[in-house]
Amino acid sequence: MAETEGGPADAVSTPAYSSPAKSLGDPGITPLSPSHIAKDSDTNDSVEQSFLVVVAIDFGTTSSGYAYSFTKEPECIHVMRRWEGGDPGISNQKTPTSILLTPERKFHSFGYAARDFYHDLDPNESKHWLYFEKFKMKLHTTGNLTMETDLTAANGKKVKALEIFAYALQFFKEQALKELSDQAGSEFENSEVRWVITVPAIWKQPAKQFMRQAAYKAGMATPENPEQLIIALEPEAASIYCRKLRLHQMIDLSSKAPVNGYNASDTVGAGFTQAKEHIRRNRQSRTFLVENVIGEIWSELEEGDRYIVVDSGGGTVDLTVHQIRLPEGHLKELYKATGGPYGSVGVDYEFEKLLCKIFGEDFIEQFKIKRPAAWVDLMIAFESRKRAAAPDRTNPLNITLPFSFIDYYKKFRGHSVEHALRKSNVDFVKWSSQGMLRMSPDAMNALFKPTIDQIIQHLSDLFEKPEVTNVKFLFLVGGFAEAPLLQQAVQNAFGSKCRIIIPQDVGLTILKGAVLFGLDPAVIKVRRSPLTYGVGVLNRFMEGKHPPEKLLVKDGTRWCTDVFDKFISADQSVALGETVSRSYTPAKPSQLVIVINIYSSEEDNVSFITEPGVKKCGTLRLDLTGTDTLVPTRREIKTLMQFGDTEIKAMAIDVATSKSVKAGIDFLNY
């Protein structure tokens, strides 16, 4: 409620937003009684376009990659070309999610190239360049994400997050189109590609929408042609790939029978060495054949069987419970995705805490700012050692400290790194004469413990839920699933409840599943709505039922304002493409403009739009002027909401004149 000229507005306590009834002198809408809810799953007005190729991008917290498949040969999935400058001991099928901007804030490079260039800059020069890594987590951790949210570069400077994400996606778009053009021998057009970008299922709606906006900015698709881009949920993509797994493509941690010719009793670690060897031999080929079959494990599942996908990546862990629906084997989400920021970067944070304990937090903070490239170097060294951690390891892990760390520490403190280690009482980290931090296996395992404990705790809570009884399988996927320590912890905790399965190329599971999803988006049929959606309406005021402060008297009629009229509840099952419709009528017959405000909430019992946590996320404005006089006295305004992959569309139709307006639900700009 704006103030009028010459004096304050009516002395009413102003809520943070205006009530639909009291604003614009507009008496709003009221449900037609009896209000019917029509569920209509066939009003999918988007014409299926034909794309020549599907390209999926797995945009990860720590590493990213893309894969593609031509729609003519869907059984061949090609993983992107090898990257230049990969690290020893780490497979190069993905590249680090690192991006470098020039001092003028223009895109310079991505991945290994960005990291290595930044690393080779002179320290005085490097502080002017903007280097970002592990920036995807910001979308998960920012409570009020908007198009204006900033990211902070290694040198402390801020840049809009949308720009960074768009640069990264544009980089992948150009790489993929170049590779496709080289293969085809002629220029490949963006319009021939259907893009799939994967995001964690536990992300809130604004973060999913943010990714779509960044993709539009990167030129992958447009708001007018949104079907060209699918935002896929990571555990769902993994699920789709796991359906096709053959026995030789996975490791069954809980089976005592030999899988791939070796026994589970040959310790988990040994099995992995063999599996890794098998992958290494096949690594030269980047094309994976996905047989058009349902894998053996899957064929054991029957109608109604349940399984859990635990997608553990760099930033988040996503837990999704799915149920099989026969005959086509479609997936139904049984319990809304849960999880949290328990990815492998948690292990990096623990390492950083350990360094702070030994060398002092003040020094580590200074070192990161003054020698940002050397800090990146130290974390690379840690990353490759981290991958060598295993439950049965007995020999220590050595981490090389960059020379500038040793040098800068001496200047900063006036004594040596060795002295700091002796003084710190951290007894399981020693200094070796070759200039390395020597960590005992126990010390390394201790760094994993907090993150792994959180994952196990979260899974334990999930297993308590009634929807999660009788789970047959637990699929462990994502980059962090390669960690033998995590595998062992999951096996020890849940091996007696269900069978624990790990696809062999576990780091690429999501990428391949995302390609399969792009080829056949109809495979996921039912999701749980993460939010409650509804519109703000007026209802006839009922004494005793409605709070007196909501009473509004207009033209002698007593209305209750700010009523939340629900379309769908949080955690309700929604079929993809399903349309929910309700009918309203203007509260005042002479009204010339109808404004329908759409609201969302994480709670499922919402009565009023003024309740805490209710957010406005869309507006439909229907102009009723210029219509002829033969309009019925009770005008019907039909309002529809259609639930798509990560987008929700709303529409209002004036039934008498067939006039209509459309709007997308927007979580970033209200």
Side-chain angles (χ1 to χ4, degrees), residues 172-355:
F172 279 112
K173 182 183 96 170
E174 285 163 11
Q175 290 286 325
L177 287 174
K178 185 173 182 310
E179 183 173 337
L180 290 166
S181 302
D182 290 353
Q183 274 214 350
S186 62
E187 201 61 28
F188 223 88
E189 296 295 324
N190 185 63
S191 60
E192 300 170 304
V193 179
R194 166 173 256 160
W195 298 98
V196 182
I197 299 173
T198 61
V199 301
I202 51 168
W203 271 13
K204 300 258 193 292
Q205 294 301 98
K208 292 173 185 169
Q209 184 186 334
F210 186 93
M211 213 52 161
R212 186 171 273 281
Q213 294 300 333
Y216 289 163
K217 196 170 159 69
M220 288 175 157
T222 58
E224 295 69 48
N225 187 11
E227 282 79 26
Q228 191 177 358
L229 168 71
I230 296 175
I231 302 285
L233 304 183
E234 288 161 8
E236 283 186 355
S239 216
I240 292 165
Y241 179 65
C242 289
R243 297 167 45 152
K244 296 191 177 281
L245 283 178
R246 307 305 301 265
L247 281 178
H248 62 86
Q249 293 166 312
M250 57 198 175
I251 294 149
D252 185 343
L253 288 189
S254 29
S255 89
K256 295 290 170 268
V259 176
N260 302 345
Y262 54 76
N263 261 310
S265 56
D266 310 344
T267 76
V268 173
F272 270 87
T273 325
Q274 280 175 293
K276 281 200 171 128
E277 178 57 29
H278 172 75
I279 294 167
R280 199 183 59 72
R281 283 202 301 273
N282 291 352
R283 185 158 287 148
Q284 300 323 312
S285 149
R286 291 179 307 108
T287 300
F288 293 87
L289 285 175
V290 179
E291 296 169 69
N292 198 6
V293 294
I294 296 292
E296 288 93 341
I297 287 267
W298 217 260
S299 56
E300 292 179 32
L301 289 167
E302 291 160 5
E303 169 87 54
D305 275 351
R306 297 151 187 216
Y307 63 95
I308 295 182
V309 177
V310 178
D311 167 22
S312 45
T316 50
V317 168
D318 250 350
L319 314 174
T320 324
V321 186
H322 280 153
Q323 188 174 38
I324 302 288
R325 300 174 70 191
L326 295 177
E328 307 87 3
H330 284 142
L331 316 180
K332 173 180 178 179
E333 186 184 357
L334 263 198
Y335 185 74
K336 67 171 179 244
T338 60
Y342 322 133
S344 61
V345 291
V347 184
D348 303 348
Y349 291 137
E350 291 299 319
F351 178 59
E352 197 177 313
K353 270 163 53 183
L354 178 67
L355 292 176

Side-chain angles (χ1 to χ4, degrees), residues 573-588:
S573 291
V574 211
L576 288 197
E578 180 172 333
T579 303
V580 179
S581 108
R582 294 190 61 115
S583 291
Y584 300 99
T585 189
K588 189 171 164 193

Side-chain angles (χ1 to χ4, degrees), residues 587-602:
K588 189 171 164 193
S590 58
Q591 231 166 292
L592 296 179
V593 175
I594 300 260
V595 178
I596 300 174
N597 287 319
I598 302 168
Y599 297 88
S600 68
S601 166
E602 292 185 15

